[in-house]
Amino acid sequence: MRHKNIFLYYIQKFIVFVLSVLVLSVVVFYVSRLAPGDPLYSYYGDRVEKMSDSEREWAENQLGLNEPIHIQYIHWFANAIRGNFGISYKYKTDVIKIIGGRLPNTLILGGIGFVLIYVLALGLGILCTWYEDKWPDRLLCKIGTVTSCIPEFWLSIALIFLFSIKLKLLPSSGAYSIGNGENVIDRISHLTLPMTVVVVSHLWYYAYMIRNKLLEEVRTEYVLLAKSKGLSKKNILFKHCLRNIVPSYLSIMAISVPHILGGTYIVETVFSYPGIGTLSYESARYQDYNMLMALCILSGALVILCNIVVQIVNERIDPRMKKDEGLQVSEVIEIG
Amino acid sequence: MDERFVQVGIRPVTALPVQEKKQYKDKPIFSMTVFMVIAMGCLFCNFFITKDPAYMDLYNTNAAPGAEFYFGTDAMGRDIFSMIWYGGRISLFIGFFASVISTVAAIVFGVFSGLAPKWADDCLMRFTEIFLSIPSLLLVIMIQAILGKANVFSISFVIGITSWTSIAKVVRTEVKQIRDSEYVIAARCMGAGFFRIMWRHLTPNFISSIMFMVVMNIRAAMAAEATLSFMGMGLPLEVISWGSMLSLAERSLLSGAWWIILVPGVFLVMTLLCITDIGNYLRKSVNNRRSNL
């Protein structure tokens, strides 16, 4: 990429990003509208059943639901490009406002979780490499495999049962007690359990990847050379090997965004945590189209952006990196 | 060695003790046994379950584990011991079936993308990226809604077609490396079609590198089924599976019936653990060389 005009290069990446988001919006729009559910239900609730045909028609007209899908999409797109994502059928207010109110909660849960996972994963990875095949490594591998096998929702339920119901130490749902929104300690106590689940269920997956990358690294020749020059183990591992796994570390981080995001969705739903996850779950189940579109675009754009950023960063750090080498995960991205 | 030909000038070296590798070494014997026991128990559950798993004994709802109900009963009075074995069939079936669907989809997509010209390949890869960027939970909800009421096959289908992307990426990379080999070109010259080349010439060459992921997909599919059923989007309560049993877990929190949460969960986690262990064994060992550190 050195010899190309750097400006053109970024323009190209930007166009790819915009096109991807556009395709994403078309796909989500069509798929969500193909579902046979009744969007009027989420707007009018039970009253839908008592509506006469003419009333229904009027309501559909009001919400712009009686036109062919592609016309609906053009309308939606024309509004969305001006920042107007429509109103939520369920909450009857601007979609952006509702998302804006919920987003900080998810950012706290997902963001802190993300940072914790990465700091801890790196630490565990280094620890395992340091003690390769000795008891700390073996023990960590065993424990890690077990924790990564526990489904998130089950871990959540088990923790709620233990800490909220039996020991009565921590609250089981919500982001704060009513009237206590500003109280930091209250917030933290509500955050502890969901955060534990998010971190525990993802941690080993990434720690193991980092461990394997590091193990590959310490088998290279330059490590032998450094050792024969009399450098200490600490020096070699921290100054030489760690630097070389930075590109993989960054790509793993970027790939993990949808993974961790999906995980917080499930955790949020189980803990009734008022974030983006519960909101998307509701909107997809009850055909709250505008909300669903806005949320899908939001999370989709974030993921696509992460992928592109990691490509750019990788190419700058290590120009040998081939176009998609950084994005190979030989593991399965699973639900949650 | 013949004594007449003893060479001089070579330092006599005592032979290093060769470590004989035992056949069963490194094989996940324990996990395989546990997995077989669970699988066999589910297959032949008719011979030893004590109660009808679907029968609702309304006098004994939420009964604690005891002599009559080994694992207790759930909120609808069904015997959990019988349900575990009976429901395991469906959970395992969904795991395998979904994994087959995703593997086939991944192979077709990956091979196509690997063989296609560069622009088409780029488009397809971009498509998988977009596909991955939709939160899979939402995707599953929407596809499930299109398919209508959930049953065992539709659940497997939904899970299958949302989990093929990572395998497809590996298949594509492998195919790109072998697509210009002589045997592929020869097969093409003789007029072999896309599917014949894929099935006879390419698949045997990359199957070993995706085997691990296929096994891991079984695990992911079983976890996904449980998650979906738990959230009320999967199998309904009447269709007994480990997931639908766990969907009662949230309600049992307040009644303090820990066995409703624990028993299916432990069975699920045990099975997933065994599958992981078997999968790890299949993974080509990355490096057998000694560490230089």
Side-chain angles (χ1 to χ4, degrees):
Chain A
M1 289 303 144
R2 288 272 162 83
H3 38 270
K4 249 192 209 168
N5 187 342
I6 199 73
F7 184 66
L8 268 178
Y9 172 69
Y10 283 115
I11 290 276
Q12 188 199 344
K13 292 278 177 200
F14 182 72
I15 291 173
V16 166
F17 172 73
V18 171
L19 276 181
S20 302
V21 174
L22 207 63
V23 175
L24 172 75
S25 73
V26 175
V27 170
V28 176
F29 200 87
Y30 268 84
V31 172
S32 66
R33 259 149 242 244
L34 279 176
D38 190 353
L40 289 183
Y41 203 80
S42 71
Y43 193 91
Y44 293 102
D46 288 334
R47 277 177 293 159
V48 173
E49 280 156 30
K50 294 182 202 128
M51 275 183 176
S52 65
D53 283 350
S54 59
E55 275 175 329
R56 269 196 75 97
E57 207 172 298
W58 176 83
E60 282 186 353
N61 214 350
Q62 199 73 7
L63 297 175
L65 291 169
N66 50 355
E67 284 159 353
I69 299 182
H70 62 274
I71 305 277
Q72 283 186 39
Y73 179 76
I74 291 169
H75 281 306
W76 177 85
F77 182 74
N79 283 324
I81 206 106
R82 295 188 208 110
N84 174 13
F85 283 90
I87 59 161
S88 155
Y89 297 163
K90 189 178 172 218
Y91 296 92
K92 323 252 181 334
T93 15
D94 199 353
V95 166
I96 301 292
K97 256 188 204 153
I98 296 171
I99 295 179
R102 298 274 194 112
L103 195 58
N105 289 335
T106 297
L107 283 184
I108 292 173
L109 181 63
I112 300 181
F114 188 81
V115 173
L116 272 180
I117 288 172
Y118 271 93
V119 174
L120 290 175
L122 190 63
L124 285 181
I126 294 172
L127 196 70
C128 284
T129 317
W130 189 271
Y131 294 107
E132 191 197 341
D133 260 349
K134 303 204 179 79
W135 67 266
D137 180 35
R138 290 188 181 189
L139 186 72
L140 279 174
C141 285
K142 286 274 177 295
I143 296 174
T145 319
V146 175
T147 55
S148 66
C149 277
I150 303 176
E152 277 154 334
F153 76 93
W154 192 74
L155 187 63
S156 315
I157 287 284
L159 287 180
I160 290 178
F161 188 76
L162 198 64
F163 288 99
S164 310
I165 309 239
K166 285 287 155 196
L167 301 174
K168 297 201 167 45
L169 282 177
L170 294 162
S172 67
S173 66
Y176 46 83
S177 328
I178 296 162
N180 248 344
E182 302 300 313
N183 189 339
V184 178
I185 296 175
D186 183 62
R187 284 235 171 196
I188 291 176
S189 74
H190 277 86
L191 210 56
T192 314
L193 286 185
M195 189 72 86
T196 314
V197 177
V198 170
V199 173
V200 166
S201 52
H202 290 101
L203 180 58
W204 184 247
Y205 190 89
Y206 300 109
Y208 192 65
M209 277 193 208
I210 292 167
R211 169 185 177 270
N212 286 347
K213 276 281 164 209
L214 268 176
L215 286 186
E216 253 173 60
E217 206 58 41
V218 296
R219 281 172 172 72
T220 48
E221 311 251 288
Y222 75 84
V223 174
L224 194 61
L225 174 71
K227 198 181 172 191
S228 58
K229 276 175 24 184
L231 294 183
S232 68
K233 193 175 173 182
K234 195 169 127 198
N235 214 328
I236 301 173
L237 189 60
F238 283 88
K239 283 215 172 135
H240 296 263
C241 297
L242 269 191
R243 251 184 220 191
N244 277 330
I245 65 154
V246 165
S248 339
Y249 188 62
L250 288 176
S251 6
I252 296 173
M253 269 178 120
I255 304 164
S256 72
V257 169
H259 198 179
I260 294 176
L261 204 67
T264 53
Y265 279 21
I266 290 166
V267 173
E268 276 181 13
T269 318
V270 180
F271 284 97
S272 338
Y273 185 85
I276 298 294
T278 32
L279 209 57
S280 2
Y281 172 73
E282 274 173 11
S283 64
R285 279 210 85 180
Y286 304 112
Q287 273 87 33
D288 195 345
Y289 289 155
N290 288 337
M291 182 69 93
L292 185 66
M293 284 303 290
L295 286 169
C296 277
I297 303 270
L298 185 72
S299 56
L302 177 70
V303 173
I304 296 171
L305 190 69
C306 282
N307 279 340
I308 290 178
V309 166
V310 91
Q311 267 179 25
I312 294 174
V313 171
N314 270 334
E315 281 166 4
R316 306 233 81 186
I317 291 183
D318 188 352
R320 290 169 307 172
M321 188 75 86
K322 275 187 229 119
K323 206 178 128 218
D324 38 28
E325 198 178 337
L327 287 170
Q328 292 295 336
V329 200
S330 53
E331 270 272 15
V332 194
I333 303 276
E334 55 207 291
I335 296 178
Chain B
M1 197 190 282
D2 203 314
E3 270 179 33
R4 279 171 301 173
F5 292 104
V6 170
Q7 283 170 307
V8 283
I10 288 183
R11 187 160 48 98
V13 181
T14 45
L16 285 169
V18 180
Q19 278 189 339
E20 247 181 72
K21 248 199 168 168
K22 284 172 190 148
Q23 269 252 298
Y24 57 82
K25 214 179 170 208
D26 293 338
K27 279 193 183 159
I29 293 291
F30 182 72
S31 311
M32 276 157 116
T33 321
V34 174
F35 184 71
M36 281 321 275
V37 167
I38 292 178
M40 286 296 144
C42 293
L43 266 181
F44 300 108
C45 65
N46 291 346
F47 296 108
F48 62 87
I49 54 177
T50 48
K51 299 259 181 332
D52 177 7
Y55 176 68
M56 297 179 198
D57 187 349
L58 293 179
Y59 292 107
N60 288 308
T61 56
N62 284 336
E68 195 187 353
F69 306 104
Y70 299 133
F71 291 158
T73 60
D74 68 1
M76 283 143 74
R78 297 180 293 182
D79 179 38
I80 293 185
F81 178 75
S82 311
M83 285 167 80
I84 281 285
W85 299 107
Y86 190 78
R89 293 175 174 188
I90 287 179
S91 289
L92 287 170
F93 174 77
I94 290 178
F96 281 96
F97 192 50
S99 181
V100 167
I101 292 176
S102 64
T103 310
V104 170
I107 289 180
V108 172
F109 192 92
V111 169
F112 188 73
S113 175
L115 291 180
K118 192 168 177 316
W119 62 269
D121 178 37
D122 279 348
C123 283
L124 288 173
M125 278 300 116
R126 197 55 60 195
F127 173 73
T128 46
E129 238 164 62
I130 294 169
F131 193 79
L132 270 180
S133 71
I134 308 175
S136 47
L137 186 66
L138 294 189
L139 202 61
V140 166
I141 299 175
M142 289 190 281
I143 299 176
Q144 187 65 64
I146 295 174
L147 291 178
K149 206 166 172 354
N151 59 41
V152 176
F153 290 99
S154 73
I155 283 274
S156 316
F157 178 74
V158 170
I159 296 173
I161 62 162
T162 46
S163 57
W164 50 269
T165 39
S166 41
I167 300 185
K169 275 190 179 176
V170 176
V171 169
R172 167 179 164 269
T173 326
E174 295 276 325
V175 167
K176 279 193 143 183
Q177 282 167 13
I178 52 177
R179 71 171 179 185
D180 292 329
S181 335
E182 283 77 6
Y183 58 87
V184 178
I185 298 172
R188 260 199 194 159
C189 290
M190 284 188 268
F194 171 74
F195 284 101
R196 187 174 169 84
I197 291 181
M198 179 181 92
W199 187 244
R200 303 285 302 201
H201 301 284
L202 297 175
T203 309
N205 282 306
F206 61 68
I207 197 80
S208 61
S209 53
I210 61 168
M211 223 28 232
F212 160 72
M213 299 176 75
V214 172
V215 172
M216 283 311 185
N217 247 6
I218 299 179
R219 172 188 127 174
M222 288 183 68
E225 182 266 325
T227 307
L228 290 176
S229 299
F230 170 78
M231 298 180 90
M233 289 170 298
L235 298 169
L237 274 177
E238 315 87 74
V239 183
I240 300 168
S241 77
W242 292 342
S244 69
M245 288 171 76
L246 281 167
S247 61
L248 287 172
E250 204 159 22
R251 268 178 270 168
S252 72
L253 279 176
L254 294 173
S255 59
W258 51 266
W259 53 93
I260 299 177
I261 306 170
L262 192 70
V263 175
V266 165
F267 267 80
L268 183 65
V269 173
M270 283 283 276
T271 313
L272 299 184
L273 205 55
C274 293
I275 295 175
T276 314
D277 219 26
I278 297 169
N280 274 334
Y281 168 70
L282 287 175
R283 195 206 301 248
K284 280 186 284 181
S285 56
V286 185
N287 237 317
N288 290 326
R289 282 177 293 138
R290 278 193 56 212
S291 165
N292 283 336
L293 193 65

